[in-house]
């Protein structure tokens, strides 16, 4: 039913040497029984409940004009001079084959100045990716000698390559006075760690400590890589106590960091074994990160090697090992039955495993009996929450709505603030609606809006509560209040589109005071974005120059060194990627920007942002194929955006290929339908072929469902059989009700997302 967010972990305390192991309730990672819908609160500006908030049109510019400086003129000149390098450098970073190396080598050797420097930076970067560090250092040094504007990149990356090549003295020399030479460089914060490593390789811990100790009260000191470097410096200087403290800090405090394994190895090398409580805490963290095999190994090692553990400790560890095996699907009901009987929260965990295996085996009666026992004996256990959510989802799939409601409401009653609570509460509200128990549905929907205002369920709660006012209570003015509140706070959500349709149908009505519930609904704050890029900002020009040299991973951090980047940095980064054909990467930049595209009206965000968030690569081919098959081109674009993010080379773990993520069997069937008998799977990676065959497949699917797009989209994601089962219920008032009733969270959100995005495509490109 989808992916689950990380849980907050309350870790048990494990003691030895005469102190009894105390097993407190463990909040383990969320199970795969359902999808939590909790999310971080969105900061919203206050608004009058039920009324559309007037918003300013998107700004065109709000930063002060930046005049050219000698630095920006040099950067611009270098960018212009190296423009022809970009396609070669991008090809090199992508393929790193002999021809690509030869092309960039020839360019770098045949040009001079900054153009040549950019070429050698591209070569050095590629050599580093291929672990040819000596060649990389040479290329970076040559880049530094040929040009100046990217001198900080040349020197730092050369030092990094030298250190990796086993030449620490070269690294020390290159980094000497780096911050004085390149104040404000992206790499200034990274220099101390690289210097420290070089000094340690030179067996010079005194200089390593000289570099790091002045930084202990700075933000850098909170990072695990800093603490690891400092620990190694103390260790090399003979201060074992401080080194051990830092290593333990990393291993326990940052268990998922890359430095944690290194810290553990250092502890072992210093003959300072971790305490059982520390090892248990780390194993718990691995479980919560869904690294079940690692967690199982650590629990086993702890159980096997710690001779002073009590029998109660060993019994609890046996159960923790078993839950790892449950997640890895390698345990039977008989195995769980043989687990020891305990008297702490691990007993609740054992019951949870028994309930899960009963559910998987189809023994719903046994599952219910176990859960009822947990409600009686372990009413606050995290494992009861897991069992209730799993049970609710089981009955949801089985279409036993009353039983599902009971499980979900038991969960929200016992765990009102838990990760699963918003989702469980909404399921209960919606299932009451489906059972036509309208007063209870109305109560729960209003409760959803008030109690879980940051949840992703709120747009649906607003819409369907408004529908109750409209269809059942015949209170059209209050229905309008809800629809307008939805439209103001979630302007581009699936449900706001439906709300605008209902507003148009209802028309003008006498106003009534908004229901108090609507005070919990507020529009999103204006993000103050601008489409006017500060062309003379040195970091922006430098980022574009980095793209010419193929140093793509430094584009974003370089841009965000600018003090004004919050207003334009995302746009600049995405446009740079788009400029060399990386449409998928540009789209990913917009998706990860944090901009609330689905809550902001079109007028509040400049149109270039929308066009990057909803791009149209391959548009001529796409629209032609769509029209040939009688499809809406914007529907096809929306589907591709969801399926592959316009990455023509995408291959999924389910073996789906290309833009429209076609299975080879589907591609072969469509090709045969077109009279082609010599189909190759690799043809699906050709955008032209993928679009041609994919639009035909989509058209046939829509026709199969008598033109109902939502049914076809659901089948595209979940397959025909479950969709036929959902349709067969045949008691839905309209298609939106059918969509909201899809029991698979992933499929429901898939259908709603594509239908929503189709409307956004239409709005963004209206008249184009």
């Amino acid at each position: 039913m989808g992916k689950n967010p990380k849980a907050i972990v309350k870790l048990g305390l494990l003691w030895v040497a005469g102190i009894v192991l105390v097993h407190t309730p463990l909040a383990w990672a969320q199970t795969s029984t359902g999808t939590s819908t909790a999310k971080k609160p969105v900061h919203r500006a206050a608004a009058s409940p039920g009324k559309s908030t007037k918003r300013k049109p998107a700004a065109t510019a709000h930063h002060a004009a930046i005049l050219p400086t000698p630095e920006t003129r040099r950067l611009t000149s270098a960018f212009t001079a190296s423009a022809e390098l970009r396609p070669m450098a991008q090809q090199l970073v992508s393929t790193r084959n002999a021809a690509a190396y030869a092309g960039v080598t020839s360019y770098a050797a045949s040009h001079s100045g900054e153009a040549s420097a950019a070429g050698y930076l591209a070569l050095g970067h590629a050599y580093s990716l291929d672990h040819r560090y000596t060649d990389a250092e040479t290329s970076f040094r040559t880049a530094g000698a040929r040009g100046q504007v990217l001198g900080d990149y040349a020197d730092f990356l050369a030092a990094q390559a030298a250190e990796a090549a086993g030449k620490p003295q070269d690294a020390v020399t290159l980094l000497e006075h780096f911050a004085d030479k390149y104040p404000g460089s992206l790499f200034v914060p990274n220099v101390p760690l690289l210097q420290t490593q070089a000094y340690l390789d030179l067996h010079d811990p005194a200089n390593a400590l000289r570099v790091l100790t002045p930084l202990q009260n700075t933000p850098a000191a909170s990072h695990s890589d800093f603490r690891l470097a400092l620990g190694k410096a103390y260790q090399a200087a003979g201060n074992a106590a401080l080194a051990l403290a830092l290593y333990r800090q990393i291993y326990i405090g940052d268990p998922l960091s890359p430095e944690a394994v290194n810290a553990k190895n250092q502890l072992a090398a210093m003959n300072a074994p971790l305490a059982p409580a520390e090892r248990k805490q780390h194993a718990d963290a691995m479980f919560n990160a869904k690294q079940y095999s690692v967690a199982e190994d650590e629990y086993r090692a702890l159980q096997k090697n710690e001779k002073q553990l009590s029998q109660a400790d060993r019994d609890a560890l046996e159960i923790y090992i078993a839950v790892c095996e449950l997640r890895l699907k390698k345990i039977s009901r008989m195995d769980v039955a043989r687990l020891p009987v305990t008297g702490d929260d691990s007993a609740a965990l054992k019951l949870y495993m028994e309930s899960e295996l009963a559910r998987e085996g189809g023994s719903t009666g046994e599952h219910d009996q176990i859960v009822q026992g947990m409600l009686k004996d372990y009413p606050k256990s995290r494992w009861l929450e897991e069992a209730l959510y799993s049970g609710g989802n089981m009955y949801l799939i089985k279409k036993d709505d009353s039983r599902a409601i009971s499980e979900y409401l038991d969960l929200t009653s016992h765990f009102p603030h838990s990760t699963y609570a918003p989702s469980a509460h909404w399921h209960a509200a919606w299932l009451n609606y489906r059972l036509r128990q309208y007063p209870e549905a109305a109560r729960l929907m209003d409760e959803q809006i008030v109690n879980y205002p940051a949840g992703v369920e709120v747009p649906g709660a607003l819409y369907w509560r408004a529908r109750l006012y409209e269809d059942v209570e015949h209170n059209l003015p209050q229905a309008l209040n809800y629809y307008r509140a939805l439209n103001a706070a979630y302007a581009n959500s699936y449900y706001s589109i439906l709300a605008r349709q209902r507003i148009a149908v209802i028309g003008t009505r006498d106003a009534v005071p908004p229901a108090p519930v609507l005070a919990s609904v507020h529009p999103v704050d204006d993000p103050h974005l601008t489409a006017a890029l500060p062309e003379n900002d040195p970091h922006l020009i430098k980022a574009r120059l980095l793209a010419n040299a193929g140093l793509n991973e430094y584009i974003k951090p370089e841009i965000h060194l600018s003090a004004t980047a919050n207003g334009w940095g995302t746009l600049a980064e995405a446009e740079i990627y788009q400029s060399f054909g990386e449409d998928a990467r540009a789209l990913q930049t917009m998706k990860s920007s944090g901009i609330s595209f689905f809550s902001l009206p079109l007028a509040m965000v400049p149109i270039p942002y929308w066009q990057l968030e909803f791009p149209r690569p391959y548009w001529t081919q796409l629209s032609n194929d769509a029209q040939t098959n009688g499809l809406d081109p914007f529907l096809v674009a929306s589907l591709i955006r969801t399926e592959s993010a316009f990455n023509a080379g995408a291959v999924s773990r389910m073996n789906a290929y290309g833009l429209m993520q076609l299975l080879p069997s589907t591609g072969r069937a469509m090709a045969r339908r077109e009279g082609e008998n010599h189909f190759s799977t690799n043809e699906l990676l050709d955008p032209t072929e993928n679009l041609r065959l994919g639009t035909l497949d989509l058209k046939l699917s829509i026709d199969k469902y008598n033109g109902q797009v939502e049914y076809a989209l659901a089948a595209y994601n979940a397959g025909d059989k479950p969709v036929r089962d959902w349709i067969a219920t045949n008691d839905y008032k309209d298609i939106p009700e059918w969509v909201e009733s899809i029991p698979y969270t992933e499929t429901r959100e898939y259908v709603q997302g594509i239908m929503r995005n189709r409307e956004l495509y239409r709005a963004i490109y209206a008249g184009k």
Side-chain angles (χ1 to χ4, degrees):
M1 292 277 296
K3 298 177 182 178
N4 299 306
K6 294 179 181 177
I8 298 173
V9 186
K10 295 179 181 178
L11 294 165
L13 302 177
L14 193 60
W15 300 91
V16 291
I19 302 177
V20 176
L21 171 64
V22 180
H23 302 292
T24 60
L26 296 176
W28 298 78
Q30 307 306 325
T31 71
S32 58
T33 56
T35 299
S36 168
T37 52
K39 65 178 182 180
K40 294 181 180 178
V42 177
H43 299 290
R44 302 178 183 271
S48 299
K51 295 183 180 179
S52 296
T53 304
K54 291 184 179 179
R55 303 173 185 267
K56 299 182 297 180
T60 55
H62 61 260
H63 50 259
I66 302 175
L67 297 176
T69 65
E71 178 191 10
T72 60
R73 289 191 182 98
R74 288 193 297 270
L75 284 164
T76 300
S77 176
F79 170 70
T80 303
S82 60
E84 293 180 358
L85 171 64
R86 178 176 293 195
M88 290 184 282
Q90 293 298 333
Q91 181 69 18
L92 175 59
V93 78
S94 174
T95 63
R96 300 200 302 282
N97 58 31
Y101 270 113
V104 176
T105 300
S106 175
Y107 176 95
S110 62
H111 286 72
S112 60
E114 299 295 351
S116 177
Y120 282 109
L121 278 170
L123 285 170
H125 181 51
Y127 284 134
S128 291
L129 292 173
D130 283 337
H131 309 292
R132 295 169 59 180
Y133 298 116
T134 298
D135 290 335
E137 181 189 357
T138 301
S139 294
F140 287 133
R141 283 182 177 274
T142 305
R146 295 290 180 94
Q148 297 179 343
V149 296
L150 292 178
D152 57 332
Y153 281 82
D155 283 358
F156 183 82
L157 296 176
Q160 203 172 57
E163 173 61 25
K167 297 188 285 184
Q169 186 57 59
D170 284 5
V172 167
T173 303
L174 284 160
L175 296 175
E176 200 169 336
H177 306 301
F178 186 94
D180 297 330
K181 190 176 180 181
Y182 305 111
S185 168
L186 174 67
F187 298 111
V188 167
N190 304 95
V191 166
L193 293 182
L194 188 53
Q195 283 179 311
T196 297
Q197 188 57 55
Y199 281 127
L200 290 175
D201 288 344
L202 291 168
H203 308 291
D204 186 356
N207 265 320
L209 289 170
R210 174 184 62 79
V211 169
L212 290 183
T213 50
L215 303 175
Q216 288 188 89
N217 294 320
T218 68
S222 65
H223 299 159
S224 56
D225 55 355
F226 180 94
R227 284 178 284 154
L228 181 67
L230 184 60
K232 288 182 176 180
Y234 278 131
Q235 182 182 354
N239 194 332
L242 288 178
L244 289 171
L246 287 163
Y247 294 149
R248 281 197 164 88
Q249 226 179 70
I250 296 165
Y251 188 72
I252 303 304
D254 292 302
L256 302 179
S257 69
E259 291 76 25
V261 173
N262 200 324
K264 180 182 180 182
N265 293 338
Q266 294 299 121
L267 288 166
M270 296 175 72
N271 196 28
L274 291 157
E278 294 170 324
R279 296 175 64 188
K280 167 70 164 47
Q281 189 173 344
H282 190 271
D284 291 344
M286 293 300 102
F287 185 95
N288 281 278
K290 301 184 180 180
Q291 296 185 25
Y292 303 124
S293 293
V294 175
E296 179 184 0
D297 290 344
E298 293 193 4
Y299 288 134
R300 284 191 187 280
L302 182 58
Q303 184 190 49
K304 178 180 179 181
N305 298 327
E306 292 296 335
K307 305 302 183 185
Q308 299 181 40
L309 293 180
S310 68
Q311 188 58 49
D313 299 343
R314 297 186 185 284
D315 290 346
L317 285 168
E318 190 69 27
I319 294 174
Y320 300 150
I321 292 166
V323 78
C324 293
E325 293 182 326
L326 179 73
R327 292 292 186 268
L328 295 169
K329 300 187 182 302
K330 59 177 188 179
I331 196 169
S332 68
R333 297 182 69 178
M334 188 174 297
D335 293 329
V336 173
R338 286 196 293 260
L339 290 172
V341 177
T342 59
D344 52 41
D345 195 63
S346 61
L349 172 52
K350 180 182 176 183
L351 289 171
Y352 163 71
M353 287 189 282
E354 290 175 345
S355 73
E356 282 294 280
L357 291 170
R359 178 183 64 83
E360 291 174 6
S363 302
T364 56
E366 183 181 354
H367 171 276
D368 292 348
Q369 184 178 4
I370 294 169
V371 173
Q372 288 304 309
M374 294 178 75
L375 278 165
K376 176 178 177 293
D377 297 331
Y378 303 99
K380 299 299 181 184
S381 172
R382 179 69 176 92
W383 299 107
L384 171 61
E385 181 192 0
E386 296 282 356
L388 288 169
Y389 198 66
S390 178
N393 290 339
M394 173 183 68
Y395 285 119
L396 178 69
I397 298 296
K398 288 179 176 293
K399 301 184 179 68
D400 189 340
D401 294 346
S402 295
R403 298 296 298 274
I405 290 170
S406 177
E407 300 275 305
Y408 288 134
L409 289 182
D410 276 341
L411 188 154
T412 57
S413 172
H414 285 77
F415 308 95
H417 306 297
S418 71
T419 304
Y420 290 145
S423 173
H425 190 279
W426 174 245
H427 281 313
W430 179 247
L431 291 175
N432 271 285
Y433 183 96
R434 289 284 293 120
L435 291 172
R436 312 309 179 198
Q437 296 169 175
Y438 292 134
E440 178 67 358
R443 183 188 73 80
L444 289 170
M445 287 174 183
D446 278 338
E447 196 172 84
Q448 187 84 31
I449 295 163
V450 173
N451 291 352
Y452 306 105
V456 297
E457 304 84 3
V458 170
L462 286 165
Y463 177 80
W464 291 107
R465 182 65 183 98
R467 286 290 298 269
L468 287 173
Y469 273 120
E470 180 183 356
D471 301 338
V472 179
E473 300 172 40
H474 307 295
N475 185 343
L476 300 184
Q478 196 63 264
L480 285 172
N481 286 337
Y482 274 73
Y483 289 138
R484 288 168 180 156
L486 167 58
N487 192 41
Y490 304 93
N492 296 307
S493 71
Y494 170 77
Y495 279 116
S496 67
I497 295 166
L498 297 179
R500 289 193 287 273
Q501 295 171 3
R502 300 312 307 161
I503 290 170
V505 169
I506 294 172
T508 304
R509 301 283 168 168
D510 292 336
V512 299
V517 168
L518 296 180
S520 299
V521 183
H522 306 297
V524 172
D525 292 339
D526 187 340
H528 299 294
L529 301 171
T530 177
L533 300 181
E535 294 298 335
N536 287 310
D537 185 291
H539 299 293
L540 173 57
I541 306 169
K542 204 169 186 178
R544 290 169 172 165
L545 179 54
L546 291 170
N548 283 1
L551 274 66
N552 299 332
E553 60 264 48
Y554 301 107
I555 290 172
K556 179 176 181 176
E558 183 65 49
I559 286 172
H560 285 277
L561 287 177
S562 174
T564 63
N566 283 346
W568 54 266
T570 296
L571 177 64
E573 182 189 356
E575 285 188 343
I576 289 172
Y577 295 139
Q578 191 184 58
S579 72
F580 55 85
E582 281 280 5
D583 293 292
R585 192 164 184 174
L587 173 56
Q588 186 55 45
T589 297
M590 303 308 290
K591 284 184 174 182
S592 61
S593 66
I595 299 170
S596 300
F597 285 103
F598 302 118
S599 295
L600 294 165
L602 282 175
M604 191 174 282
V605 178
I607 198 66
Y609 289 80
W610 290 110
Q611 291 173 338
L612 286 161
E613 175 75 8
F614 293 91
R616 296 194 302 177
Y618 318 105
W619 184 247
T620 300
Q621 178 76 37
L622 184 156
S623 56
N624 287 341
D625 287 332
Q627 290 166 15
T628 297
N629 289 290
L631 297 173
D632 177 359
F634 292 128
L635 174 66
V636 177
S638 182
L639 183 144
I640 293 172
R641 182 184 180 276
T642 299
E643 286 287 344
S644 67
F646 295 97
N647 178 3
V651 180
S652 77
R653 67 178 185 275
M654 301 302 292
N655 204 37
Y657 281 70
L659 291 174
M660 297 185 72
Q661 289 291 277
L662 300 177
L663 294 171
S665 57
T666 301
R668 187 173 298 106
M670 294 303 103
R672 190 178 298 118
R673 189 180 183 92
E674 293 288 276
E676 301 165 19
N677 296 319
H678 301 289
F679 170 80
S680 166
T681 296
N682 284 337
E683 291 178 41
L684 296 177
L685 299 176
D686 177 350
T688 299
E689 285 300 291
N690 194 283
L691 287 168
R692 184 174 67 86
L693 299 176
T695 51
L696 174 60
D697 175 56
L698 180 59
K699 170 61 173 173
L700 292 174
S701 181
I702 293 173
D703 287 347
K704 182 167 57 178
Y705 289 101
N706 299 316
Q708 193 62 61
V709 172
E710 288 87 348
Y711 292 164
L713 291 176
Y716 208 95
N717 179 261
D720 283 318
K721 186 180 185 305
V723 171
R724 293 291 186 192
D725 290 344
W726 303 333
I727 294 171
T729 303
N730 198 31
D731 62 346
Y732 305 102
K733 289 184 176 181
D734 54 21
I735 287 298
E737 183 173 330
W738 182 85
V739 171
E740 183 60 46
S741 299
I742 294 173
Y744 296 174
T745 299
E746 177 186 317
T747 304
R748 182 173 62 254
E749 292 176 350
Y750 177 89
V751 174
Q752 291 177 343
I754 291 177
M755 298 302 291
R756 172 201 66 207
N757 292 348
R758 179 181 69 172
E759 297 307 310
L760 276 165
Y761 264 110
R762 286 175 174 171
I764 293 162
Y765 296 101
K768 295 185 180 180

